[in-house]
Amino acid sequence: MTIKDVAIRAGVSVATVSKALNNYRDVSVETRARVRKIVREMGYRPNPIASTLVKKESSIIGFVLSSFQEKQRTSILTEWLSGLFTNIATLGYEVMILPVDTQIQRKKSFAQFIRDYHLAGVILQGLRIDDRYYVEAASSDTPRVLIDMVSDRPGVGSVMIDNEAASREAVSYFISRGHTRIAHVSGRADAWISATRVNGYRAALESVGIEFNPSYVVNGEFGEEPAFAAADALLHRCPEITAIFCASDVMAMGVMRAVRTHGLRIPDDVAIIGFDDVEWARMVTPPLTTVRQDFHGIGYEAARMLHRMISGTSPGSKLYVPHEFVIRESAG
Amino acid sequence: MTIKDVAIRAGVSVATVSKALNNYRDVSVETRARVRKIVREMGYRPNPIASTLVKKESSIIGFVLSSFQEKQRTSILTEWLSGLFTNIATLGYEVMILPVDTQIQRKKSFAQFIRDYHLAGVILQGLRIDDRYYVEAASSDTPRVLIDMVSDRPGVGSVMIDNEAASREAVSYFISRGHTRIAHVSGRADAWISATRVNGYRAALESVGIEFNPSYVVNGEFGEEPAFAAADALLHRCPEITAIFCASDVMAMGVMRAVRTHGLRIPDDVAIIGFDDVEWARMVTPPLTTVRQDFHGIGYEAARMLHRMISGTSPGSKLYVPHEFVIRESAG
DNA sequence: TTGTAAGCGTTATCAC
DNA sequence: GTGATAACGCTTACAA
């Protein structure tokens, strides 16, 4: 069933049907109503492919996924998507996944792809700011919002939690419990959020006059193993440390293992705070004190912002989604 | 840049370019080569939208997602997708996510959507066999493969692990450790896999002459809380139980909590086995003995089968992906 | 072997 | 207000 069938049945031209359906003003109120009624009766739906071909704009948004590499952050993706969909499905968008993996040799360039399908907008989520795909997308003119990254370009939306404030809270908690020799296991250096979290860590220390000690900051690469190794070396080098703030829960697991390897107890000898509050953070022993990110909310807001950008309601902006410091047992 | 530009530059008609690009035999070897060379030089890519409009077949495959409801199975989705993509991206398909949630009122019917976009194929993953969307899709004629479900219809692919064998192994392990009063916390009744796992549990018992006791099987609904409640009631009712086989790791967490609530030790008083081997299964205390599902592999195989179905190489079939029984500490 | 031209199902531009 | 009609970029009979 095509628009032609509807036109015949309604006794008008296809042009009129199209206009009635697309809310053009040069259609009489009666015909619009009549056409719509018939459309409903017939169960007609315009073919989005044909429509895209001529309008050069689809209702598909792309979700750029570069974190298949991040084997450890699996559940986060789902929550983003879940938030995305609760907002976007009702607005009539479809979502296409654009996997970005240096392993997978895509024949199509990323920007090419956006143009091919005339994507309405794109949500990017990739930790690495220097990623080729990120750069490509950034140079496109499609509405786009970034998750966990910021862009220097105007008009690019970005949504995340206030990583610096969150880190400051976490470290301040340590300080309030009397800790002064506090270390930080940071994430990958090329990730936007890593630097920000280090900043928060540093700010918290300096706000109470504790000098920032660069050798207390080690890189756990957002992985459990690297975090274990980094923490292990750290504890050897600086046995005076009594607290470790980790930039992710996964790394916190590696760090906890390292601490135990050194025969130390958690939190009595070394207190630990994680980041993310993944689903199992409360299940480990001891339950992890951590910063909860509302991943669902981040996805939701990203979709909302993108929609506003697409519809021209508002330009992209920077949005902080509320976070929450969750006290359990690993930090005393 | 369109096919026309290529045609002009190559000094041939658009039809010839199209034929050269689509491997028609009625193009001379030389022109095909020349056209392709020019295409490469110009960086031309055919517009998939236009192509879909006339061919009535796209290179988009749909991934039906009904598990946003399953808040607990978050990381599994990512692994499926990851497997899917490692196979499918190189084959030139794109992936569209079709969220299916009774909460989200979709305007479009599911079958409608498949037709609208002329999806090349669909991968369905929904636990509930009576799901409206599942039925809709099942009645479509698009190539489709199911994950964790089987279809009575011929030509529908399905991939999963051998749930019955896996359950049998798990329960047999209990038996080999001397347990005889073994309970089972099952998953949602409307899920295909639930019944199969119960069957495996039962088969293992009966194979050594232990009578199947229906009151030893309780329903944990695949959730931690329901599993806790179910196990709590079970332990009250049948304190003689010494081992519990859980149909998911998440439920195992609830069960472990229930066991401890009753002042019992794991695995000394009550041994526990989970199912899935999610990322954190080895991190809990005690580390969970469980059945590892290769979710990545399942996604990979589903994509492979779908591709073969689309290209007509082979019809859909039923495929078991290997699983692995992982012994840690929760089962003694 | 190649080119012409008629679609595919829409929307957009004009006349009417 | 409404309706022809020409796009949109491609594939595919059918002619040449």
Side-chain angles (χ1 to χ4, degrees), chain A residues 85-139:
Chain A
F85 279 115
T86 61
N87 197 358
I88 229 155
T90 51
L91 296 173
Y93 293 104
E94 312 304 332
V95 175
M96 207 168 239
I97 301 286
L98 312 181
V100 154
D101 197 318
T102 36
Q103 314 290 329
I104 303 174
Q105 282 296 348
R106 285 191 77 80
K107 287 160 202 150
K108 303 177 191 175
S109 100
F110 183 64
Q112 182 71 256
F113 184 87
I114 294 177
R115 263 180 287 131
D116 274 0
Y117 282 93
H118 297 295
L119 298 192
V122 178
I123 294 180
L124 288 134
Q125 165 280 129
L127 298 170
R128 303 180 312 174
I129 202 82
D130 60 345
D131 197 303
R132 174 186 136 219
Y133 300 91
Y134 167 74
V135 175
E136 264 188 33
S139 66

Side-chain angles (χ1 to χ4, degrees), chain A residues 156-177:
Chain A
V156 176
S158 89
V159 8
M160 65 189 89
I161 66 164
D162 186 338
N163 283 285
E164 180 163 344
S167 303
R168 227 164 32 222
E169 280 174 57
V171 176
S172 296
Y173 179 78
F174 274 148
I175 295 171
S176 75
R177 312 283 290 186

Side-chain angles (χ1 to χ4, degrees), chain A residues 3 15 18 22 24 44 47 54:
Chain A
I3 196 173
S18 174
N22 290 287
Y24 278 58
Y44 164 76
N47 180 330
V54 31

Side-chain angles (χ1 to χ4, degrees), chain B residues 12 43 95 125 154 224 285 305:
Chain B
V12 296
V95 176
Q125 164 280 128
E224 196 201 332
T285 311
M305 184 179 292

Side-chain angles (χ1 to χ4, degrees), chain A residues 253 258 274-275:
Chain A
M253 290 313 299
F275 209 106

